């Protein structure tokens, strides 16, 4: 896989996401979108999706529904969403909202928004694929704030209990949620220890390192896999990083210009 090509793709995804955030008066989930940009770019490089009509395709399920800026822009780079689709983001009559609506034609596997339902949905999808003898993978992206939900842990138990080793759970651990730091709101302590106790093979990676993500996403196991990706909320945007305001915020023109310049400097020096 071409690391430089993926880095360029991620750069373009971030600029496009900023354009989308600027275009809406409703505000956009910049924090959770930018913590997952590298993850989504790598995931759609690794996932085997020959077509959305192919039942044996890999599934990418965004359980942390507020990560749509990363999802939409990754689907755009994969050719499943068009510039014209992204231009309608959060406008009247759009199909592309701040939480995704299932749309297989555009590559969207799951309607996000109700936290914990994505991974619960993935249990059924993974079990059905197993029962049909399909040799595919189900990738589920969780937010660490989302893991406050009890339904998440029921689903994690079910994946292990039913031996669904076709599942890879990816935790976007940016350590912030809507109301502030996750450690202050509901401290998860060691996510790794909990997942290991549930029977997962667990790996911790730098969620902004494309080489590290590609390496770990490419592995397989006889057990369900869990990847804990250490990330930064609103990564790369100085005035929003590690700031709960970035969970959903309006991006004024002047702030947009600062953010664009910072992203360009990060990639071009």
């Amino acid at each position: 896989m071409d690391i430089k090509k993926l880095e360029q793709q991620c750069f373009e995804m971030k600029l496009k996401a900023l354009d989308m955030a600027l275009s809406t008066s409703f505000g956009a989930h910049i924090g959770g979108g930018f913590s997952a940009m590298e993850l989504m770019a790598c995931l759609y490089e690794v996932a085997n999706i020959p077509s959305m009509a192919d039942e044996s395709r890999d599934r990418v399920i965004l359980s942390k529904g507020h990560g749509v800026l990363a999802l939409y822009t990754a689907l755009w780079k994969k050719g499943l969403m068009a510039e014209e689709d992204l231009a309608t983001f959060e406008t009247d009559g759009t199909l592309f909202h701040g939480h995704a609506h299932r749309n297989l034609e555009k590559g969207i596997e799951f309607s996000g928004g109700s936290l914990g339902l994505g991974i619960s949905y993935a249990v059924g999808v993974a079990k059905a694929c197993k029962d049909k003898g399909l040799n595919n993978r189900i990738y589920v992206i969780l937010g660490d704030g989302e893991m406050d939900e009890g339904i998440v842990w029921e689903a994690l138990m079910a994946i292990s209990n039913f031996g669904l080793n076709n599942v890879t759970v990816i935790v976007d651990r940016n350590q912030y949620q809507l109301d502030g730091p996750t450690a202050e709101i509901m401290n998860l302590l060691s996510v790794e220890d909990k997942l290991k106790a549930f029977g997962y093979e667990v790996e911790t990676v730098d969620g902004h390192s494309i080489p590290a993500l590609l390496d770990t996403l490419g592995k397989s196991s006889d057990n369900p896999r869990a990847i804990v990706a250490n990330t930064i909320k609103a990564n790369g945007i100085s005035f929003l990083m590690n700031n709960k305001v970035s969970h959903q915020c309006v991006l004024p023109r002047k702030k947009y210009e600062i953010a664009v310049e910072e992203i360009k400097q990060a990639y071009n020096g």
Side-chain angles (χ1 to χ4, degrees):
M1 296 176 187
D2 190 332
I3 302 297
K4 290 293 184 184
K5 180 181 176 181
L6 268 180
E7 287 176 347
Q8 177 64 27
Q9 177 178 310
C10 198
F11 171 60
E12 293 170 6
M13 286 167 59
K14 291 177 181 181
L15 293 183
K16 180 60 69 176
L18 288 172
D19 288 346
M20 293 165 67
L22 176 67
S23 70
T24 174
S25 59
F26 297 103
H29 293 98
I30 295 173
F34 274 71
S35 67
M37 285 289 178
E38 288 83 2
L39 171 58
M40 281 296 189
C42 292
L43 193 47
Y44 278 98
E45 179 72 15
V46 170
N48 181 28
I49 307 176
S51 83
M52 293 304 294
D54 189 337
E55 187 181 36
S56 65
R57 70 186 183 278
D58 289 347
R59 309 298 204 274
V60 177
I61 298 169
L62 181 66
S63 193
K64 52 164 276 182
H66 47 278
V68 293
L69 289 176
L71 174 65
Y72 291 161
T73 53
L75 291 173
W76 164 60
K77 296 306 294 182
K78 193 168 178 65
L80 288 165
M81 290 183 67
E83 294 262 0
E84 293 77 13
D85 296 326
L86 300 186
T88 71
F89 176 66
E90 288 284 63
T91 59
D92 288 343
T94 187
L95 298 176
F96 307 108
H97 305 272
H99 292 95
H101 288 195
R102 189 171 193 257
N103 185 334
L104 293 185
E105 180 184 350
K106 299 297 181 180
I108 302 170
E109 292 278 3
F110 175 74
S111 294
S114 298
L115 296 178
L117 291 189
I119 189 165
S120 302
Y121 171 73
V123 175
V125 172
K127 183 71 163 63
C129 289
K130 271 277 191 184
D131 290 347
K132 291 178 181 179
L134 301 178
N135 185 28
N136 60 350
R137 293 213 64 77
I138 316 301
Y139 297 96
V140 190
I141 302 92
L142 283 173
D144 53 353
E146 180 183 11
M147 296 180 83
D148 291 355
E149 303 285 349
I151 194 173
V152 168
W153 298 96
E154 293 180 55
L156 289 168
M157 282 192 289
I159 289 167
S160 181
N161 182 69
F162 294 120
L164 301 178
N165 63 350
N166 54 343
V167 175
T168 298
V169 175
I170 305 156
V171 180
D172 179 3
R173 185 165 61 182
N174 62 35
Q175 301 188 57
Y176 271 80
Q177 58 194 91
L178 174 63
D179 296 325
T182 54
E184 295 177 8
I185 294 164
M186 184 63 70
N187 197 334
L188 290 170
L189 300 176
S190 175
V191 176
E192 289 90 342
D193 286 349
K194 290 178 172 63
L195 290 168
K196 286 176 184 176
F198 277 47
Y200 288 74
E201 180 178 299
V202 181
E203 192 163 350
T204 304
V205 299
D206 177 350
H208 298 304
S209 168
I210 286 175
L213 286 168
L214 288 176
D215 179 63
T216 191
L217 284 169
K219 295 177 182 178
S220 60
S221 172
D222 292 334
N223 298 317
R225 296 193 69 230
I227 299 168
V228 180
N230 288 320
T231 62
I232 299 170
K233 200 170 182 84
N235 183 51
I237 305 172
S238 63
F239 56 90
L240 290 177
M241 285 196 300
N242 291 328
N243 188 336
K244 68 178 183 180
V245 170
S246 72
H247 186 84
Q248 181 173 7
C249 60
V250 174
L251 191 64
R253 168 67 65 174
K254 287 186 178 180
K255 292 288 190 180
Y256 161 82
E257 291 172 355
I258 293 170
V260 167
E261 185 58 31
E262 289 183 345
I263 296 298
K264 287 181 176 179
Q265 287 181 4
Y267 279 84
N268 300 321

